[in-house]
Amino acid sequence: SRRLCGQACGWCIGDAFAEPPPESPWRPLERLPWNTSLAYFEEHHKQKHVPVIFEGWLKQTKTAEWDLQKLLEVCGDREVRFAERRAFTLEQILDQLGEGLLRVVVDRVTRLVWNTTFADALQESLASCTLNDLIARFEEWNTRESSPANFPSLLNYLLHPPSINDMKLEELCPNLLDDAVLPRWARHGLKSCNRGDRRFEPSVFIEAHGSRAYPAHQHGADLTHGFQVLISGAKRVVLWPYSEREKLSPVLRSITTEKHDEIYLAEGIHHRFDQFPAMARAEGWEGTLEAGDLLFVPSIGIHVFESVGTSVGLRFGNHDESSVKFGEELLRAGSSAVPERLMRILKKLEFEEPVKAADVLLTDLVVERGCA
């Protein structure tokens, strides 16, 4: 563990619980009606960096016509690339392990426990297949029960089946992209609107039961608010303020993703307080995102998701006038993830005026991905 986080952390304690995990210290994620007022959202959530779920939001849009079965019928034969971000992290870990005795020992352990090695997992992450083939593999994996023992460390995440992770929806299924929408209050931001605008070019995540697209992490490298829409399945989620990062066993910054996200070892989904006792003192929120829900993830929050059943979700990223403020807050808090070049660019951009707080969140305010 010292090779990854610079200190003895949860990996040194063992996998089994001596007794059941303690009751969670975190607050439940607030679940609001899909037509909650914008004024309430701005005052109680966005301005305070507090995540929130809008129940059944997707059912108000034409995206509700989609589920996993329709996705396979329409786009099942398309080639998918998955785990590109995972591959980058695997390469960093292999570099840390080197080619000596430590690598030999770790390879033997991972073969014994997971019947694979980091090198094998890397090759799998770089492979490609059709969406139909990938879901068939997921169905076999889904017979396993997710439990606290499944994720005692970052190793478990990296050696689970690869998932479709942050792939552009346009590349996977253009038909679904045509039906992908988000609230107008979420789309305000840059005055310019182009094909590369992440508000209207969502990424897609498809994961097997008990798997994760990524370990606990924070998007300091792009400073976007995240709007997660779940189409199928469900996801357990835990989120923490960035100020709690030192209690979550941060990984060495030399091990990251190609987007330079910050990664954390602490296992929050299954309350591994036996391995990460400092995590029990961290402020946070937890809950379950269900099919049809919309989740707001503040741009400077740390978060982790775990799939319940095979899940299909979309993520819209959004820059607005608060992105600069949040970036400066991260830098003051000691973040090494915020690129100075990004901050210079954001400070030069011109943003739209926010939607008036008198408007409701979703009634007649759902817009397509274009610039209408």
Side-chain angles (χ1 to χ4, degrees):
S1 65
R2 288 184 174 89
R3 293 299 294 271
L4 293 181
C5 61
Q7 59 183 326
C9 51
W11 294 10
C12 304
I13 300 175
D15 296 347
F17 286 107
E19 56 186 45
E23 184 177 349
S24 171
W26 303 317
R27 289 173 285 174
L29 270 171
E30 186 173 8
R31 299 184 64 87
L32 297 177
W34 61 269
N35 59 350
T36 299
S37 72
L38 176 59
Y40 184 92
F41 167 68
E42 288 280 353
E43 179 181 354
H44 295 278
H45 294 279
K46 188 175 180 182
Q47 294 179 12
K48 296 180 179 179
H49 316 318
V50 176
V52 62
I53 294 174
F54 298 99
E55 291 184 322
W57 178 83
L58 194 66
K59 297 176 183 177
Q60 315 305 317
T61 76
K62 58 184 178 181
T63 319
E65 300 173 3
W66 288 80
D67 56 16
L68 178 59
Q69 181 177 354
K70 181 175 179 178
L71 183 63
L72 293 176
E73 291 174 355
V74 177
C75 298
D77 292 331
R78 293 184 69 90
E79 184 179 70
V80 298
R81 295 175 291 98
F82 47 84
E84 289 187 339
R85 296 174 75 180
R86 176 185 295 189
F88 190 91
T89 306
L90 285 165
E91 290 171 347
Q92 305 300 311
I93 291 179
L94 284 170
D95 183 63
Q96 290 286 325
L97 293 176
E99 299 292 340
L101 179 61
L102 178 61
R103 171 76 171 274
V104 173
V105 172
V106 171
D107 281 352
R108 288 180 179 177
V109 171
T110 55
R111 280 203 181 280
L112 177 65
V113 179
W114 295 283
N115 194 33
T116 189
T117 66
F118 280 110
D120 292 341
L122 175 60
Q123 291 305 310
E124 184 178 29
S125 295
L126 295 173
S128 61
C129 64
T130 67
L131 181 57
N132 281 324
D133 292 338
L134 184 62
I135 297 303
R137 292 174 58 194
F138 283 3
E139 293 306 313
E140 179 180 353
W141 179 264
N142 285 353
T143 60
R144 306 188 184 197
E145 182 62 30
S146 178
S147 71
N150 291 153
F151 281 93
S153 73
L154 186 64
L155 290 171
N156 299 66
Y157 155 75
L158 290 168
L159 298 177
H160 271 213
S163 57
I164 295 178
N165 181 0
D166 209 11
M167 181 177 178
K168 288 185 178 180
L169 181 58
E170 184 176 22
E171 297 178 5
L172 178 66
C173 191
N175 308 72
L176 175 54
L177 178 63
D178 290 339
D179 289 341
V181 298
L182 76 164
R184 186 172 314 217
W185 56 265
R187 67 133 277 180
H188 89 271
L190 297 178
K191 284 189 174 180
S192 61
C193 184
N194 54 64
R195 191 171 182 80
D197 190 334
R198 291 188 61 185
R199 292 169 296 172
F200 308 108
E201 300 294 337
S203 53
V204 59
F205 296 78
I206 304 179
E207 298 140 38
H209 174 67
S211 288
R212 305 174 186 185
Y214 210 56
H217 63 288
Q218 190 271 336
H219 297 295
D222 67 3
L223 296 176
T224 55
H225 299 296
F227 297 94
Q228 307 271 358
V229 178
L230 198 61
I231 294 176
S232 290
K235 285 188 176 184
R236 300 183 183 97
V237 56
V238 181
L239 307 100
W240 301 273
Y242 186 74
S243 58
E244 305 296 279
R245 68 192 186 283
E246 294 301 330
K247 302 172 186 175
L248 303 177
S249 299
V251 175
L252 293 177
R253 289 297 289 136
S254 57
I255 299 176
T256 181
T257 72
E258 85 285 1
K259 295 185 178 181
H260 302 287
D261 294 332
E262 294 187 5
I263 304 174
Y264 303 84
L265 289 176
E267 172 44 49
I269 294 288
H270 293 294
H271 300 165
R272 294 307 302 257
F273 303 117
D274 61 329
Q275 291 188 315
F276 303 97
M279 181 176 64
R281 302 192 301 273
E283 177 187 358
W285 303 267
E286 64 180 339
T288 299
L289 188 64
E290 300 174 353
D293 289 347
L294 170 69
L295 170 67
F296 166 69
V297 180
S299 66
I300 59 176
I302 299 167
H303 51 277
V304 61
F305 296 85
E306 181 178 295
S307 183
V308 180
T310 298
S311 64
V312 180
L314 306 179
R315 179 184 186 271
F316 293 88
N318 171 252
H319 282 126
D320 62 17
E321 69 285 343
S322 66
S323 298
V324 175
K325 180 181 70 174
F326 294 160
E328 291 173 341
E329 288 183 17
L330 281 174
L331 291 174
R332 286 195 297 270
S335 172
S336 60
V338 181
E340 292 183 6
R341 179 175 178 273
L342 174 62
M343 289 297 296
R344 290 196 297 268
I345 292 173
L346 289 176
K347 289 179 179 180
K348 295 179 180 179
L349 296 178
E350 187 176 2
F351 294 98
E352 295 176 341
E353 291 296 322
V355 177
K356 293 181 180 179
D359 290 331
V360 296
L361 274 180
L362 298 163
T363 302
D364 299 326
L365 284 181
V366 175
V367 298
E368 298 185 9
R369 62 190 179 94
C371 292

